[in-house]
Amino acid sequence: MNPRAPHQLSSRIGLRPEPFGAMAYHFDTRRLVFLKTPALVELVHSLVDYDSVNSAVAAAVDGDEHKANLYVTALSSLADAGVICER
């Protein structure tokens, strides 16, 4: 994943809200991925509103670099799983 590029939730993903965050179902691969916090779900939904992953993460963490690194790592894993994609 290129964090300087704009991303969005893949159109091939169905998200089901859960108390812990959400379950993401990939319609093509039938893979199930867990988003483990509501804040991560909110960040994934907000990606479409930003010019890059970095800017979306920066808005979500309000200067907390440790939290930003955790989110970038999580989003990279979601990109590898096909949950989010470059737009």
Side-chain angles (χ1 to χ4, degrees):
M1 174 191 75
N2 177 1
R4 293 180 302 275
H7 283 68
Q8 66 184 14
L9 180 65
S10 171
S11 63
R12 303 303 308 150
I13 293 293
L15 277 185
R16 184 173 113 185
E18 295 289 341
F20 59 80
M23 289 192 304
Y25 178 77
H26 196 293
F27 296 119
D28 294 334
T29 65
R30 298 182 181 180
R31 184 174 179 190
L32 190 61
V33 176
F34 296 92
L35 284 73
K36 296 180 182 178
T37 67
L40 181 57
V41 176
E42 186 176 323
L43 176 59
V44 166
H45 282 294
S46 76
L47 288 173
V48 72
D49 299 327
Y50 292 91
D51 293 333
S52 70
V53 168
N54 285 339
S55 60
V57 168
V61 301
D62 196 31
D64 185 340
E65 276 194 50
H66 176 70
K67 198 172 191 180
N69 290 334
L70 293 174
Y71 276 140
V72 170
T73 300
L75 291 171
S76 181
S77 294
L78 292 175
D80 290 344
V83 175
I84 63 170
C85 60
E86 200 167 319
R87 61 175 157 87

